[in-house]
Amino acid sequence: MRWFFRNPVRLVPLGFLVPILLGTGLLMARWATVDHQRPPLVTALFTATSAVSVTGMAINDTPNYWSAAGLVVITLLTQLGGLGILTAAALVILVVSRQLGLRNRLLVQAETAEFGIGDVARLLRRIAVTVFACEAVMTAVVAGRLWWAYDYGPGRALWSGVFHAVQAFNNGGFALYSDGLLAFARDPWVSLPLAFGGIVGGLGFPALFEAVREWRRPAGWVVATKLTIWGSVALLLLGFVGLLAAEWTNASTIGSYDAAGKVLASFTQIALSRTGGFSVLNIADLQEESYPLLIVLMFIGGGSASTAGGIKVSTFFLLGFTIWAELRGEPDVTVGHRRVATASQRHAVTVALLSVALVTAGTMLLLLLTEGVRLVAALFEVTSAFSTTGLTVGLAGELPASGQLVLTVLMFIGRVGPLTLGSAIALNTRRRLYRYPQEQPIVG
């Protein structure tokens, strides 16, 4: 077994599988449910996987099914999943020994996508400070609002603030309310902090740190940061305009709101739809044209080395620049006067095509296992699970155990798959001393 642990990439899935199994065991305890009945294995496994993978998809009424102790377990699992189990383990090692060995530095690098091994310890401190500072600010604003305007007691307001702040920044989607955050759709003091927390958490620390450090010189950002920051802004704006236009007259969502309420609810939903998983609108009541928009946004996801899922913003826009260069007949793919390496282009194509294949296979399998399910509903649930978003049209809770296991596997693959694949490709790069004769097959 020693050969297994020599490669840090192999430890990435194990680093997420262990807390999933531990969380499943904890959630199967009688004290984890409101009625003190032992939940089914599939329910506990699904919920633990959803928490650790920071998906937030639920198959039951979270606040009325899980007890306070069960909700604490879900919160801790979400926090661990958001930080990355390997990052959390490295933080513990850092505190105990005040230094990191080479192997542990490689493990953290695989999770955080940091470029330099020597800066891992400093990176981890910055990550910890950023995460807990953002969550503290969100907790203070949301808890204060609930205490001031909604007559919550101090303890209840603080617990609600902490729970939703952790879920928002880590791009989970569990909520303490049966209808999600519908009650706060037009309250900017609750919805906006959570929305911005989800945006920041979904950018990725490499891009976030460089953007903050070099905010005066965005032209000097590296290509990955440019693709992530400006790509996220473009997706947010396009998604916001698209959802606002599609739902403007829909009485079941925002049709009855005033103009300011429509704008706020649409912006918040789009900000949290890319990977956040919270719902401020009833997803099952959306217009048909809104579903393709959300499916695409969920599939793209957030930034690399972030709490978000999906194929990642940089991957999507790198493919876009590759197509643009091909249409123009350019010999190189360039972004901001920088030539993109051919290996990065191949990496993007590999991740995107494998992700499409997994979503397609998952959708087909869900349709085979469940009778009477609409294609768009199955595709929505599968994409939400694979991209670790957590939005649902209500289908997940109605699926048989086999269908819920399919979504469980997709959540796990969606969390560790792109990360493991990217690290494996980076570590498996090799150089040949020969090249075969070239041919040019007909394409199209």
Side-chain angles (χ1 to χ4, degrees), residues 129-443:
V129 170
T130 301
V131 169
F132 294 120
C134 289
E135 290 177 354
V137 171
M138 285 188 288
T139 296
V141 176
V142 173
R145 180 62 173 176
L146 294 176
W147 173 70
W148 179 265
Y150 293 89
D151 295 327
Y152 279 40
R156 184 187 176 194
L158 181 61
W159 164 237
S160 184
V162 169
F163 184 90
H164 292 104
V166 170
Q167 295 295 324
F169 188 86
N170 292 289
N171 281 269
F174 290 103
L176 293 179
Y177 310 98
S178 300
D179 57 356
L181 299 180
L182 266 67
F184 309 105
R186 288 177 285 180
D187 189 339
W189 291 99
V190 175
S191 60
L192 285 183
L194 298 180
F196 285 117
I199 292 172
V200 173
L203 286 177
F205 291 106
L208 178 63
F209 288 161
E210 184 181 19
V212 172
R213 184 177 64 250
E214 304 290 342
W215 66 273
R216 294 181 179 179
R217 297 176 54 252
W221 293 346
V222 298
V223 170
T225 300
K226 290 178 179 178
L227 290 174
T228 300
I229 299 296
W230 300 125
S232 297
V233 171
L235 291 174
L236 185 62
L237 291 178
L238 291 174
F240 162 65
V241 172
L243 186 67
L244 184 65
E247 300 297 323
W248 186 270
T249 59
N250 185 359
S252 299
T253 54
I254 64 174
S256 60
Y257 296 175
D258 59 13
K262 293 177 180 180
V263 169
L264 177 62
S266 298
F267 173 82
T268 304
Q269 188 60 74
I270 285 298
L272 295 172
S273 291
R274 292 178 51 220
T275 62
F278 282 128
S279 56
V280 296
L281 304 177
N282 193 334
I283 303 300
D285 291 334
L286 294 175
Q287 301 280 23
E288 287 296 322
E289 55 267 30
S290 295
Y291 292 117
L293 174 66
L294 294 184
I295 288 172
V296 170
L297 290 176
M298 290 191 299
F299 183 75
I300 296 172
S304 299
S306 73
T307 56
I311 66 171
K312 302 300 185 287
V313 176
S314 57
T315 301
F316 175 76
F317 280 96
L318 179 54
L319 290 174
F321 277 102
T322 302
I323 294 172
W324 180 243
E326 188 66 24
L327 292 175
R328 298 180 61 189
E330 296 285 348
D332 300 314
V333 176
T334 58
V335 179
H337 303 292
R338 290 292 185 273
R339 179 167 52 89
V340 178
T342 303
S344 297
Q345 301 171 41
R346 292 166 56 186
H347 185 181
V349 171
T350 302
V351 170
L353 290 182
L354 287 178
S355 298
V356 169
L358 282 170
V359 170
T360 302
T363 302
M364 293 176 62
L365 193 56
L366 210 62
L367 291 172
L368 288 173
L369 295 173
T370 311
E371 295 182 0
V373 176
R374 293 187 307 152
L375 173 60
V376 66
L379 178 60
F380 191 95
E381 301 290 294
V382 167
T383 306
S384 180
F386 173 76
S387 64
T388 68
T389 301
L391 289 179
T392 176
V393 294
L395 178 61
E398 300 175 358
L399 293 173
S402 57
Q404 293 172 352
L405 286 175
V406 170
L407 296 181
T408 302
V409 172
L410 285 169
M411 286 188 289
F412 181 77
I413 294 176
R415 177 57 179 161
V416 305
L419 173 66
T420 304
L421 178 62
S423 301
I425 292 175
L427 292 176
N428 197 39
T429 302
R430 56 185 179 178
R431 183 180 293 179
R432 286 186 183 270
L433 299 180
Y434 61 90
R435 301 180 73 182
Y436 291 109
Q438 178 175 292
E439 285 195 14
Q440 191 166 342
I442 299 175
V443 179

